[in-house]
Amino acid sequence: MTSRFSGALQLTDLDDFITPSQECIKPVKIEKTKSKTGAKIKIGEDGYFDLSSGREQKLQKVEITLADCLACSGCITSAESVLVTRQSQEELLRVFSERKYTDSKGVTKNVSLVVISLSPQPVLSMAARYKLSPEEATSKLAGYFKSLGADMVLDMTVAEDLSLLEAQQEFLQRYQDQQNDPTSKNLPMLASSCPGWVCYAEKTHGSFILPYISTTKSPQQIMGSLVKQYLSKKKEVTPGEVYHVTFMPCYDKKLEASREDFYSEMLNCHDVDCVITAIEVEQMLGNSNMSLSDATEAALDWAWGDGEPAGVKGRAGSGSGGYADSIFLHAAEQLFGETNAQLVYKNLRNPDFREVTLEKDGKEVLKFAIANGFRNIQNLVQKLKRGKSPYHYVEVMACPSGCLNGGAQSRPVSGESGRALVQQLEALYAALPRATDRAARRLYAEWLDGRDSDKAKAVLHTAYHAVEKADIALNIKW
Ligand code: SF4
């Protein structure tokens, strides 16, 4: 049978990350004997030594099955691809040629406007893959998508700004609420822009963890609202006639776009209709015997009134969008009057788990962390469950090294090390022009009836749902 999935959606390699990634892990419970000295066990290659009883115990070989899957982006390509049939390169090319698509409810719609939104991480991935500058890669991608039939190619800076501004505001509110009610589950606020992490939280820790997760939508979904609500009105077309494609670093973003929460009954459409990744665009180019360098350059479009020039932008902090840094600096200023707070991270178990602190009068008033990769996420969740988490905010990302190392970024070419490639992407991200949030602030006034309005809350926030085991796709037991 011919597969309806793009080549990248086939099960080819269970290790999808650019760098040597974390291994697939399954925690096992070890029965321990307590000793007076506090020393308990010493872990060995295939078992452990019980220091109290002096006995050596062999552990059974652990079998990893789909039932143990944490929904990290490593193998989402196979196990959950059934959810993303409408999100393949073949489907995208079909929409370009036929100018119609079938939505998630099975309704076929004519397309008046195809909009492609570029996020920075896959643009940098393409720049590195084809040895172009980020600016060249951006305009070549714009030219390539327009040659296929896109009407507008936008960068996602304004949606990233709205997501950051809203998350800053949400953090201040949660911090104050926590002061008023220390038993509440407002803090730590956990980042929400990574669907790999959100999917894992919903499936494995459900109602315990969900209150901690920021309700602010990810940049992809805010961009979806901007395109389907704001832009469609400006272009005088119905939201359903707009086919909105985002260019993202991982397959998890396809699952995020498919969520029912991001389908509007009122507008009768999803916010994002198709997610395409760096690795898939590389395949599309390869199928046409093209390099990105061969594409004609075109300027990005700009749809948000007066403002800064269009282009992918970077932020201080992590290559996943700089959430921790941005919220930390805002909170330091707003809550403690610190206009010049310094962010000096301390690595904990590994560089993918690091923390930063603001002290006032000898007291840690802000303690933030960045936790990348499922091994660190599991440690964080265990700390939370034991009531031992010292954090006010954690930027949680499923991929080791964060979004620049997303599961659908271009792979290293032969002879190139994965680590070196991620470092190159980090350097490119750090050198990008910095975003200002002028257009986003104007949109609050022009589109959302101001900060803190009911409309802003409805458009920029979402909800999460504990997934009952029986509801899980393919009836997988987690
Ligand atoms: Fe996708 Fe970024 Fe999450 Fe990785 S860390 S799964 S690239 S959103």
Side-chain angles (χ1 to χ4, degrees):
M1 190 179 82
T2 315
S3 167
R4 296 194 58 235
F5 300 119
S6 53
L9 283 174
Q10 308 301 307
L11 176 62
T12 51
D13 182 352
L14 283 177
D15 183 356
D16 275 355
F17 300 111
I18 299 173
T19 57
S21 70
Q22 62 193 350
E23 290 146 17
C24 192
I25 51 169
K26 175 180 182 176
V28 288
K29 194 171 175 208
I30 297 172
E31 295 305 333
K32 295 173 285 189
T33 318
K34 283 194 182 142
S35 76
K36 282 180 189 145
T37 61
K40 292 168 193 160
I41 56 165
K42 193 172 161 195
I43 305 284
E45 274 281 293
D46 53 1
Y48 62 95
F49 189 69
D50 189 324
L51 296 169
S52 306
S53 65
R55 282 210 318 266
E56 194 179 353
Q57 301 281 341
K58 291 259 182 234
L59 283 176
Q60 274 188 336
K61 258 209 158 94
V62 178
E63 286 187 2
I64 307 279
T65 68
L66 267 184
D68 301 306
C69 178
L70 301 177
C72 68
S73 63
C75 65
I76 206 160
T77 50
S78 57
E80 302 199 77
S81 58
V82 71
L83 296 176
V84 291
T85 51
R86 278 175 295 277
Q87 308 218 20
S88 64
Q89 49 185 276
E90 288 84 1
E91 182 68 5
L92 178 61
L93 292 173
R94 202 181 56 71
V95 173
F96 277 136
S97 73
E98 296 179 8
R99 301 290 288 191
K100 60 182 176 205
Y101 71 104
T102 303
D103 73 8
S104 60
K105 309 290 176 196
V107 179
T108 301
K109 293 171 176 165
N110 289 326
V111 173
S112 304
L113 189 71
V114 178
V115 179
I116 314 270
S117 300
L118 307 179
S119 67
Q121 294 85 4
V123 171
L124 297 181
S125 177
M126 299 302 273
R129 171 70 185 80
Y130 294 101
K131 305 202 175 351
L132 299 166
S133 70
E135 293 74 24
E136 284 169 331
T138 305
S139 43
K140 294 228 172 240
L141 280 164
Y144 175 62
F145 284 125
K146 286 190 174 181
S147 74
L148 294 177
D151 300 296
M152 296 182 83
V153 181
L154 304 167
D155 67 80
M156 284 176 52
T157 311
V158 69
E160 291 156 11
D161 286 336
L162 283 166
S163 184
L164 277 175
L165 287 168
E166 203 60 20
Q168 288 172 355
Q169 192 80 357
E170 182 183 349
F171 179 77
L172 293 187
Q173 188 64 51
R174 282 175 176 255
Y175 194 97
Q176 281 151 359
D177 290 349
Q178 187 79 14
Q179 306 296 309
N180 296 335
D181 178 7
T183 61
S184 67
K185 285 178 121 186
N186 283 297
L187 298 179
M189 179 167 116
L190 305 176
S192 58
S193 68
C194 170
W197 144 242
V198 169
C199 183
Y200 161 74
E202 288 181 323
K203 286 176 176 173
T204 57
H205 299 288
S207 49
F208 166 76
I209 203 84
L210 298 184
Y212 296 109
I213 300 182
S214 161
T215 58
T216 301
K217 280 186 191 171
S218 70
Q220 169 173 277
Q221 295 312 132
I222 290 180
M223 192 69 188
S225 302
L226 272 165
V227 167
K228 290 292 175 104
Q229 297 181 31
Y230 177 86
L231 185 60
S232 68
K233 204 178 246 178
K234 271 181 82 171
K235 294 285 176 186
E236 298 179 345
V237 293
T238 64
E241 287 175 278
V242 181
Y243 187 72
H244 182 210
V245 184
T246 55
F247 184 48
M248 303 305 289
C250 63
Y251 301 110
D252 301 58
K253 286 285 173 188
K254 295 176 189 263
L255 287 176
E256 181 181 56
S258 307
R259 285 172 76 93
E260 277 298 302
D261 301 271
F262 301 132
Y263 179 86
S264 162
E265 295 290 346
M266 207 169 70
L267 303 181
N268 205 14
C269 61
H270 263 101
D271 296 331
V272 176
D273 300 295
C274 180
V275 176
I276 201 84
T277 63
I279 214 166
E280 288 168 293
V281 170
E282 192 184 330
Q283 283 180 349
M284 287 162 69
L285 288 162
N287 292 344
S288 309
N289 291 320
M290 261 181 90
S291 153
L292 186 62
S293 315
D294 302 331
T296 310
E297 295 192 12
L300 284 183
D301 295 281
W302 178 258
W304 327 114
D306 298 336
E308 56 202 278
V312 290
K313 305 281 181 356
R315 325 234 159 217
S318 76
S320 306
Y323 278 85
D325 286 41
S326 160
I327 296 171
F328 185 94
L329 291 175
H330 185 72
E333 184 175 349
Q334 295 296 314
L335 296 171
F336 305 103
E338 283 287 342
T339 50
N340 198 21
Q342 301 298 312
L343 282 124
V344 183
Y345 281 95
K346 186 174 88 184
N347 285 351
L348 295 176
R349 293 160 182 266
N350 50 64
D352 263 340
F353 200 157
R354 52 191 196 273
E355 63 181 34
V356 61
T357 304
L358 178 72
E359 287 192 13
K360 270 278 194 205
D361 306 324
K363 193 173 164 245
E364 291 184 338
V365 288
L366 286 180
K367 199 169 180 75
F368 279 33
I370 295 179
N372 290 330
F374 274 100
R375 191 177 301 222
N376 290 321
I377 290 175
Q378 283 185 322
N379 283 329
L380 172 71
V381 173
Q382 289 316 317
K383 270 189 184 171
L384 262 169
K385 286 194 162 169
R386 291 198 302 268
K388 296 257 161 67
S389 160
Y391 303 116
H392 297 106
Y393 177 85
V394 188
E395 182 182 303
V396 187
M397 296 287 161
C399 296
S401 305
C403 294
L404 291 168
N405 185 29
Q409 295 277 73
S410 272
R411 297 285 173 276
V413 290
S414 109
E416 187 179 30
S417 99
R419 171 54 57 200
L421 177 55
V422 170
Q423 282 171 349
Q424 184 191 356
L425 296 183
E426 286 169 347
L428 287 175
Y429 185 83
L432 282 175
R434 287 293 159 90
T436 73
D437 50 23
R438 280 198 299 273
R441 288 183 187 278
R442 203 178 45 250
L443 281 166
Y444 268 113
E446 185 193 333
W447 174 46
L448 296 169
D449 304 338
R451 299 282 296 262
D452 289 329
S453 68
D454 289 347
K455 185 168 179 187
K457 287 201 173 65
V459 172
L460 302 179
H461 290 258
T462 185
Y464 309 105
H465 318 279
V467 179
E468 295 300 325
K469 294 199 177 353
D471 291 345
I472 291 168
L474 309 179
N475 217 9
I476 296 167
K477 183 175 137 290
W478 296 78

